[in-house]
Amino acid sequence: MAWLRNLSKYSSTIAKLSSSPKTNTDPFFLLPSFTFLSHFSSNSIQQKPSNSNTKHVFEYSGLLEATKPHEKPRVVVLGSGWAGCRLMKGLDTTTYDIVCVSPRNHMVFTPLLASTCVGTLEFRSVAEPIGRIQPALSREPGSYFFLANCTAIDTHNHMVQCETVTDGEETIDPWKFSISYDKLVIALGSKPSTFGIQGVKEYAIFLREVYHAQEIRRKLLLNLMLSDVPGITEEEKRRLLHCVVVGGGPTGVEFSGELSDFIMKDVQQRYAHVKDYIRVTLIEANEILSSFDDRLRRYATNQLTKSGVRLVRGIVKDVKAQKIILSDGTEVPYGLLVWSTGVSPAPIIQSLDLPKEPSGRIGVDEWLRVPSVQDVFSIGDCCGFLETTGRQTLPALAQVAERQGKYLAELLNRIGKEGAGHANSAKEIEFGDPFVYKHLGSMATIGRYKALVDLRQSKEGKGLSLAGFLSFFIWRSAYITRVISWRNRFYVFINWVTTLIFGRDISRL
């Protein structure tokens, strides 16, 4: 058998290595899965002290060395969100080698993420592998994707320090390594904003990643099944089946709409014993959908109310294990708490010794450069225009990040073709037209096959605004065309058709 022969060959190789004089070679690096490490220069391989109850754990460190003058310059991209992925998709791989560092190996199509929480879409429909977005990461010898977090940036030496992602405390310790760059693009996104409220991180679930949607779905279905168990009190049943959404922006409203649809169409049929107990509450400090037209906001409020969503205006003061406390002292018990109140700079962004704009994001100029250092750019939610530019900081929206990624890809391609792709070689290059953002409008679905479409370029501007089923058709048509690959477009379309015919998938996997 082939696998047995291979195993015997590998065992004999290890035996030879163990009998030969010790070197810096470790049999671990002979595994095919780790052949990419041969491109690193090894700094150290250290064994941590261990006692009788502790496994031998090795910590590796290495360096992806600087490119040579005759080699293609290297663009290092930190992050795999909207901005970073659009940048990598547009970069000319005949001009540059690309290295992406991110704790996830896929991009999340966030506008459709709320639909996965209740089974309207499957999770794979909103996740696009990085290797499909930029095939060079899998094929080109000088391009790599590393499943890791950036821990520090040395702009003076053009170096990024990284630490690999592991699956928890019981696995091997993370490996630390460094990457030399010619051009660095920081696209690390943002983190959910908790406003310093105690208990949010411990008890609330955010809605920004696929694993967040998976956790929401599992929690929701678990509460539905627990509430049907004999002996559960009426009060406990009502708490378990009370879904609270904090934040009245597009994400919070869309999730509330999807949840109300799920309750009206699927819970009514498949959980008939508890259908009268389940309810949804949306808490917002001000007006819901504040960036939309006043008429559309009123329409959304009426439709959500008709769908059974209770709208509460209030400010959350504290979050406990089974209830939240509002600023007026009102206690709201919950079984599922989803937190969607905006974003703030990630800890790594706050720790970087780079210029910041007033809200704490990395400050950039009109060409998305970090002006105080060479060869460093920043795009997406983690950056904003410096006050010296006289420009207003753009909102943390997917379309902003995508447009910045597209612009910067074109800019770097032009720089590379002019022979200024290597480190410290673009000082005299004319960068051309600065980045200009033009808002294309906003859309949000509110359930019951209805949506809002606001095509105004600004909150005070004039433009087309629609609501109802036509808007829902526009919303679906727009987003299925924006899904990155034909593969995922096919998945999304099939999921929509399947849900329409057979209902949502309520399996708790």
Side-chain angles (χ1 to χ4, degrees):
M1 297 188 303
W3 67 270
L4 187 57
R5 289 194 298 272
N6 291 335
L7 180 61
S8 63
K9 288 179 183 178
Y10 181 65
S11 300
S12 62
T13 302
I14 293 178
K16 291 178 183 178
L17 285 169
S18 61
S19 61
S20 62
K22 290 186 178 180
T23 66
N24 284 338
T25 303
D26 192 282
F28 183 78
F29 286 96
L30 299 176
L31 293 175
S33 301
F34 293 89
T35 54
F36 73 88
L37 291 174
S38 63
H39 295 272
F40 283 79
S41 66
S42 178
N43 291 337
S44 62
I45 304 178
Q46 299 175 339
Q47 181 178 338
K48 288 191 171 184
S50 60
N51 53 42
S52 59
N53 297 323
T54 306
K55 298 185 296 182
H56 290 278
V57 181
F58 291 88
E59 180 179 330
Y60 298 87
S61 61
L63 168 66
L64 187 57
E65 297 176 335
T67 57
K68 305 295 190 296
H70 65 277
E71 297 176 334
K72 289 191 291 185
R74 179 186 300 136
V75 177
V76 175
V77 182
L78 305 180
S80 58
W82 281 86
C85 287
R86 184 61 185 86
L87 168 77
M88 289 187 286
K89 183 179 180 180
L91 282 175
D92 184 357
T93 55
T94 63
T95 303
Y96 291 105
D97 283 331
I98 304 171
V99 173
C100 177
V101 178
S102 176
R104 69 182 187 196
N105 70 341
H106 59 273
M107 173 191 164
V108 180
F109 193 79
T110 48
L112 297 178
L113 189 59
S115 298
T116 65
C117 299
V118 294
T120 306
L121 296 178
E122 290 302 320
F123 300 113
R124 66 177 180 178
S125 301
V126 299
E128 186 70 34
I130 302 299
R132 288 182 178 271
I133 296 173
Q134 179 46 269
L137 293 172
S138 305
R139 301 173 184 170
E140 295 295 326
S143 296
Y144 306 95
F145 170 81
F146 297 123
L147 193 70
N149 286 305
C150 170
T151 56
I153 298 174
D154 182 356
T155 56
H156 179 72
N157 294 310
H158 280 59
M159 195 83 68
V160 175
Q161 297 175 16
C162 305
E163 185 176 278
T164 57
V165 174
T166 58
D167 284 331
E169 296 179 357
E170 298 302 319
T171 59
I172 58 175
D173 282 6
W175 304 322
K176 297 176 175 63
F177 61 95
S178 300
I179 304 172
S180 295
Y181 65 83
D182 293 298
K183 298 290 185 286
L184 174 65
V185 181
I186 305 172
L188 291 170
S190 54
K191 67 171 185 176
S193 181
T194 64
F195 303 101
I197 300 171
Q198 290 186 349
V200 175
K201 292 181 180 179
E202 292 80 3
Y203 304 117
I205 306 175
F206 304 110
L207 188 51
R208 292 175 56 83
E209 303 285 351
V210 171
Y211 67 84
H212 290 150
Q214 291 172 329
E215 187 177 359
I216 290 170
R217 185 164 167 178
R218 288 177 59 84
K219 182 73 171 178
L220 176 61
L221 294 173
L222 176 64
N223 288 352
L224 278 166
M225 289 181 279
L226 286 178
S227 62
D228 214 11
V229 173
I232 298 291
T233 63
E234 293 287 308
E235 182 181 359
E236 179 67 5
K237 189 176 292 189
R238 293 185 186 279
R239 183 194 68 79
L240 282 171
L241 296 179
H242 187 198
C243 305
V244 176
V245 182
V246 179
T251 301
V253 168
E254 288 188 337
F255 175 69
S256 299
E258 287 281 355
L259 199 53
S260 66
D261 269 3
F262 173 65
I263 293 169
M264 295 175 67
K265 296 177 182 177
D266 297 272
V267 173
Q268 297 280 352
Q269 296 178 8
R270 306 182 191 187
Y271 293 94
H273 299 103
V274 297
K275 64 181 182 180
D276 296 329
Y277 294 91
I278 189 166
R279 54 204 172 101
V280 181
T281 297
L282 175 60
I283 300 175
E284 168 57 41
N286 300 300
E287 294 282 345
I288 66 169
L289 300 173
S290 57
S291 63
F292 282 72
D293 179 74
D294 290 341
R295 183 180 66 85
L296 297 183
R297 288 208 306 268
R298 290 193 297 271
Y299 180 85
T301 300
N302 292 334
Q303 289 299 317
L304 288 172
T305 302
K306 289 179 181 178
S307 299
V309 179
R310 177 176 168 236
L311 302 178
V312 174
R313 181 174 291 188
I315 300 174
V316 177
K317 180 182 178 181
D318 197 7
V319 177
K320 304 293 185 183
Q322 297 182 356
K323 65 181 179 181
I324 61 175
I325 303 172
L326 303 183
S327 58
D328 61 0
T330 303
E331 295 185 357
V332 183
Y334 66 86
L336 172 66
L337 177 61
V338 177
W339 194 270
S340 177
T341 59
V343 296
S344 59
I348 179 63
I349 299 299
Q350 298 171 358
S351 68
L352 296 177
D353 186 19
L354 296 174
K356 306 291 197 310
E357 50 88 58
S359 66
R361 299 196 274 183
I362 295 173
V364 295
D365 63 11
E366 297 93 329
W367 294 272
L368 306 178
R369 299 176 298 181
V370 181
S372 61
V373 292
Q374 283 291 321
D375 301 320
V376 179
F377 303 80
S378 186
I379 53 178
D381 294 356
C382 66
C383 75
F385 289 118
L386 289 166
E387 291 182 296
T388 54
T389 64
R391 294 190 176 195
Q392 186 177 3
T393 296
L394 298 173
L397 298 175
Q399 61 175 295
V400 174
E402 185 181 28
R403 302 277 284 285
Q404 287 178 334
K406 180 181 179 181
Y407 167 84
L408 187 56
E410 294 172 352
L411 177 61
L412 290 176
N413 288 340
R414 186 165 65 250
I415 291 173
K417 289 175 181 177
E418 292 182 14
H422 284 91
N424 299 312
S425 61
K427 297 179 181 179
E428 306 301 326
I429 293 294
E430 180 63 41
F431 275 38
D433 296 332
F435 174 73
V436 177
Y437 172 69
K438 183 179 179 181
H439 188 60
L440 299 178
S442 303
M443 295 186 291
T445 179
I446 54 177
R448 301 176 69 183
Y449 299 108
K450 293 179 175 62
L452 312 176
V453 175
D454 189 351
L455 300 181
R456 297 175 304 159
Q457 292 189 13
S458 66
K459 189 175 180 180
E460 296 78 20
K462 294 182 179 181
L464 182 65
S465 59
L466 301 171
F469 178 77
L470 177 60
S471 298
F472 178 78
F473 179 77
I474 295 173
W475 177 85
R476 281 202 165 179
S477 301
Y479 279 140
I480 200 170
T481 58
R482 299 304 297 162
V483 173
I484 293 179
S485 68
W486 282 102
R487 165 182 170 268
N488 277 31
R489 289 173 195 168
F490 178 76
Y491 283 157
V492 169
F493 179 76
I494 292 299
N495 288 165
W496 280 341
V497 173
T498 303
T499 299
L500 179 64
I501 299 174
F502 301 108
R504 292 170 176 81
D505 179 13
I506 59 170
S507 304
R508 186 176 183 269
L509 302 177

